[in-house]
Amino acid sequence: MATAGCAVDPPDAGAAAPAWHSLGADQALQALAAGAHGLDSRQARERLARHGPNRLAPARRRGPVLRLLRQFHNILLYIMVAAAAITAVLGHGVDTAVLLGAVVVNALIGFVQEGKAESAMDAIRSLLAPRAVVRRDGQRREIEAAQLVPGDIVFLASGDRVPADLRLLEARELRVDESALTGESVPAEKDTAAAAPDAPLAERFGMAYSGTLVVSGTARGVVVATGAATELGHINRMVGAVASLATPLMRQMARFGQLLAGAILLLAAGTWLLGTAALGHPPAEMFMMVVALAASAIPEGLPAVMTITLALGVQRMARRKAIVRRLPAVEALGSVSVICTDKTGTLTRNEMTVQRLVCGGHVVDVGGIGYAPVGNLSRDGRHVDASANPALAMAVRTGLLCNDATLHEAEGIWRVDGDPTEGALLVLARKAGLAGESGAAGWPRLDAIPFESEHRLMATWHRDPAGAPWILVKGAPERVIDLCATEWRAHGELPVDVDWWRRMATDTAAQGLRVLALACKPAAPAGARLGWDDVRSGYVMLGLVGIIDPPREEAAQAVRECHRAGIRVKMITGDHAETAKAIGAQLGLGLGKPAVTGSEIALMDDAALRRIAWDIDVFARASPEHKLRLVQALQARGAVVAMTGDGVNDAPALKRADVGVAMGLKGTEAAKEAADIVLADDNFATLATAVREGRGVYDNIRKFILFMLPTNGGEALVVVSAILFGLTLPLTPAQVLWINMVTSSTLGLALAFEPAEPGLMARPPRPPSERLLSGFFVWRVLFVSVLMMAATLGLFLLELHRGTPLDTARTIAVNAVVAAEMLYLLNSRSILAPAFSPGAGRGNPMVWLTIAACVALQLAFTYLPLLQRVFASTALDLQQWARVLAAGLLVFALAELEKWAIRARRSRAAMAPAQG
């Protein structure tokens, strides 16, 4: 059976494909046994049969039935099914239906959310070009891209998607957008030169890779890899091989559910054996008591409250422009201890900006960022008037005229059509006072030589308002400086100081700026058209411009906020090391440390990479493998990692990370499908805000557990105490179910709406190994459980001693439990802060709504004849209600006293080292 693609016709099955980017064009053709005129039909058929079609093999998928059944393999759902079985035994059909419905809803949520890898690989496959223009049988024809084979000659034009990996044979003004593979912020300028064998993908200028987009120019290349053997196929295999990790909360809940289920079963079995064997109770009677015990202990509301809490987090994040695709990621984001972020568009504005202009022997600083033409030119802090400086004015005008981009404003937003670097020169002209069309007025363009990678410059021919001819040049500094004989200084033209200009170009580049040189010649072309012979010498050096994609102002603040929260931020980009280091320094990343490149990462073993990944904050020229290895290395150090990305090359790392975050504006579909969260505004500050929301979600889940377990525990202790001491059961199984239904469906839900507490981002991230039931939590659960048991059982026994009928005493006990839970809800709004601290009554109206609903339900339970018949309840008088309220207030007061004691102890412990 044919494979899904191959890189070459190897001499034997074990031969490795050569590094095509390091071979010359003729060498590549020879290695492929191909000619410059392409293959004939017979050769193409043979190679297609041997190598398979040029497509990515679809992933193996589980069928929908198996995927659905797997969703029920969850300990919490087992507990809910057990609760449903108990209610069915008791004949409570409505309760059984509600519990089973909750089981089905939770399973369906998981079913819909599964399939991350499959969706991501579908998105990668969609990048493949459907058609290709090739030379077959000596003729140029269009075929399906799936029919391409190694050795085919392919033609590319502007707007084409590259159909396979190509070694370029010819390239004319070819620029290819490879950002999806490399992370580069500007299109790559292509040529036919061979690259070094160890050159990173972003510097293989003689190659065009499958799935990338031709921005401009034309080319001819030979197919060297198809299908799974392409760079795109390599990433596709990586995505399929990467295993997704469960979120920290899901891992904790799995352990918690197992422990809780085991504890409930042991308690129920032990109680039944004790009651029948030791105390002599009839087995049938003990069975009903054990049913009541199990019903009181099972947290039926936990999965539902978790889902609602996470869903509310999704809504809050969506309002902040963070779109959550997978529900558990809401809380996982709050657990993050390391954020690995892309640079372009996430930390930066993705708007190239001129920041430095070397002209007339001076360095001019350019204010403002982005495409909005707001800012001025200054030198040593003093404003510079371009109109009073001929050299500066001519340099700026050259950048404006030797330019094919356009700058326009719509609804207050400035945009550039064309090359973003050229757009930055247009913005510079407006800042210098050469506004738009007026700057070009009187300087009509007569001819132009577009940018070509071979010559690394662009030239235009103009006539000035006086009718004099000018040839203007813009390009790479080393190329333009060599064309110049003189330079323009404030006091006239002087012989060009080549060494000085080269030093200034090097100094500008060392600051992470992309450098362009500007020059002019007051002359006309030798012929009727502008040709390369006119651009060989005799120019006047005007200046150098330093351009950068500046950091977002809010990103710097967000990085500082993350650092305060104990979250490490690491920048991983495909850009140049100097550029990455310069941007990192402006954001407070990697200060005093080097930037590590992908080629250096490739030489490290896993142990060395774990050390470097933790210590270094800026990584440049990173490939998909490097990003994936960095995420794995950080996870091996115990970090919970969030990874941001926008390209196909980011998909493996996004999938592997604990939380994958894709960019919504410029992100590829492959990145979005592999991610858990999509940022609608591509802004790192939005991610920092989402982390805060995630921490708030986890806090609310912990608060609910601290509310739920003591209330369930108190009910269970009431039943256990009655069995142990041979007392009349204070709560019947039906009454226990009523309490659970009332408190789970009303009171517990209120905690899902709690706003984030102050100081949330001043805490360090919680360790991934932290248990939900810490020693403090166990103490709190036991303390409050005993309080509720003592208050309920004590009041029940007091009522029996006063001669109160059994049904009325049980009604008082039920209301005492619910009153204690209503007041304990106020305790639970904060784990340690006082219940009535400033602002405690505000921020969550659901607390008071649920308490009001609970009061109404208890009044119905107590006075409604229908419910009196079902639950054997009776009406109460005011004195009895007063005793119920007193029992609840006792629990509330002692719970607040416990919180005060813990706060005082921690305050003393914090002060002790300072005093010492």
Side-chain angles (χ1 to χ4, degrees), residues 122-143:
D122 284 343
I124 292 175
R125 284 191 287 274
S126 71
L127 292 177
L128 296 177
R131 308 284 294 178
V133 178
V134 302
R135 188 180 295 281
R136 287 270 180 93
D137 298 317
Q139 297 181 348
R140 186 165 171 156
R141 63 176 64 170
E142 183 175 327
I143 66 171

Side-chain angles (χ1 to χ4, degrees), residues 23 43-45 107-108 145 166 172 213 303 321 345 413 438 470 522 534 538 545 588 605 615 652 684 724 863 890 910:
L23 299 182
Q43 289 175 306
R45 285 195 302 270
L108 287 175
L166 308 178
R172 182 172 177 79
L213 185 66
K321 298 189 181 299
I413 299 175
S438 64
W470 290 82
D534 302 306
V545 288
D605 60 23
D615 294 336
F684 183 83
L724 287 177
Y863 296 107
L890 176 66

Side-chain angles (χ1 to χ4, degrees), residues 285 288-289 292 718-719 722 726-736 738-739 792-793 795-801 803-818 858 861-862 868 870-876 880-881 884:
E285 179 183 333
M288 293 307 299
M289 289 187 173
V718 168
V719 176
L727 305 174
T728 303
L729 200 63
L731 305 170
T732 67
Q735 290 172 340
V736 168
W738 166 264
I739 294 172
T792 303
L793 189 59
L795 184 58
F796 174 75
L797 294 176
L798 175 64
E799 292 299 325
L800 289 181
H801 180 72
T804 304
L806 177 60
D807 285 348
T808 303
R810 282 177 168 167
T811 304
I812 292 173
V814 169
N815 280 293
V817 170
V818 175
Q858 283 308 114
F861 170 86
T862 306
Q868 287 178 339
V870 172
F871 294 104
S873 58
T874 63
L876 302 181
Q880 290 168 330
W881 279 116
V884 165

Side-chain angles (χ1 to χ4, degrees), residues 569-730:
V569 179
K570 298 181 181 294
M571 183 169 69
I572 307 176
T573 177
D575 219 332
H576 293 278
E578 290 300 331
T579 302
K581 190 174 179 181
I583 293 295
Q586 294 182 52
L587 293 166
L589 299 176
L591 297 174
K593 298 179 182 179
V596 173
T597 64
S599 57
E600 293 172 311
I601 292 173
L603 299 175
M604 298 178 190
D605 60 23
D606 290 342
L609 185 58
R610 282 196 291 271
R611 292 192 298 272
I612 291 297
W614 192 256
D615 294 336
I616 299 298
D617 293 334
V618 177
F619 299 88
R621 284 297 194 227
S623 71
E625 293 94 338
H626 303 147
K627 294 181 179 184
L628 179 59
R629 286 190 67 201
L630 284 168
V631 169
Q632 291 172 324
L634 290 166
Q635 290 172 331
R637 291 287 301 255
V640 177
V641 181
M643 174 77 192
T644 76
D646 56 8
V648 178
N649 59 327
D650 297 316
L654 288 172
K655 183 188 170 192
R656 172 66 189 193
D658 297 279
V659 185
V661 183
M663 302 299 107
L665 294 178
K666 63 184 180 69
T668 60
E669 287 304 311
K672 294 175 187 176
E673 289 294 340
D676 305 290
I677 293 173
V678 176
L679 301 184
D681 58 357
D682 291 12
N683 193 338
F684 183 83
T686 300
L687 178 58
T689 301
V691 168
R692 184 177 184 274
E693 293 291 348
R695 289 188 173 190
V697 164
Y698 182 71
D699 265 10
N700 288 349
I701 291 173
R702 292 173 75 224
K703 291 173 185 177
F704 175 76
I705 290 173
L706 266 187
F707 169 77
M708 173 200 67
L709 289 185
T711 54
N712 284 23
E715 298 168 33
L717 286 180
V718 168
V719 176
V720 169
S721 300
I723 293 171
L724 287 177
F725 296 106
L727 305 174
T728 303
L729 200 63

Side-chain angles (χ1 to χ4, degrees), residues 316-558:
R316 287 194 291 267
M317 287 186 184
R319 289 195 290 269
R320 302 293 187 93
K321 298 189 181 299
I323 311 303
V324 178
R325 300 185 66 250
R326 305 180 213 288
L327 206 56
V330 176
E331 178 279 330
L333 198 55
S335 313
V336 163
S337 56
V338 176
I339 297 176
C340 298
T341 176
D342 188 23
K343 175 183 72 69
T344 305
T346 308
L347 292 172
T348 64
R349 298 173 61 89
N350 200 21
E351 296 179 354
M352 302 300 284
T353 305
V354 176
Q355 290 193 333
R356 192 182 204 214
L357 178 58
V358 181
C359 181
H362 301 287
V363 176
V364 177
D365 296 315
V366 182
I369 57 174
Y371 292 146
V374 178
N376 56 22
L377 281 60
S378 63
R379 185 173 69 240
D380 299 327
R382 296 188 298 274
H383 175 70
V384 174
D385 183 1
S387 62
N389 188 322
L392 178 60
M394 192 63 194
V396 173
R397 180 175 285 108
T398 298
L400 171 67
L401 298 174
C402 191
N403 199 312
D404 289 327
T406 58
L407 177 70
H408 58 91
E409 183 262 343
E411 298 180 358
I413 299 175
W414 289 86
R415 302 185 186 279
V416 165
D417 292 331
D419 189 294
T421 301
E422 292 190 329
L425 296 175
L426 300 182
V427 177
L428 171 65
R430 284 183 175 265
K431 291 177 180 178
L434 302 176
E437 296 299 325
S438 64
W443 289 77
R445 179 188 290 193
L446 306 178
D447 199 7
I449 300 177
F451 179 89
E452 286 193 9
S453 55
E454 179 183 355
H455 298 281
R456 304 185 67 193
L457 55 81
M458 174 184 178
T460 55
W461 171 26
H462 300 264
R463 197 171 298 279
D464 68 14
W470 290 82
I471 301 175
L472 310 179
V473 169
K474 168 183 97 256
E478 60 273 20
R479 182 74 177 91
V480 174
I481 292 171
D482 289 342
L483 304 179
C484 297
T486 60
E487 60 182 88
W488 203 336
R489 296 285 182 132
H491 46 276
E493 287 188 37
L494 298 173
V496 65
D497 187 343
V498 173
D499 290 337
W500 185 82
W501 283 106
R502 286 176 178 168
R503 285 198 306 272
M504 296 306 296
T506 301
D507 178 65
T508 303
Q511 298 179 39
L513 302 175
R514 187 179 184 189
V515 187
L516 286 177
L518 304 168
C520 67
K521 181 165 68 172
R529 301 292 302 273
L530 183 62
W532 285 114
D533 288 339
D534 302 306
V535 194
R536 295 193 183 279
S537 62
Y539 281 80
V540 180
M541 185 68 186
L542 295 173
L544 301 170
V545 288
I547 304 173
I548 199 169
D549 180 12
R552 294 176 181 264
E553 295 174 351
E554 63 272 25
Q557 173 62 31

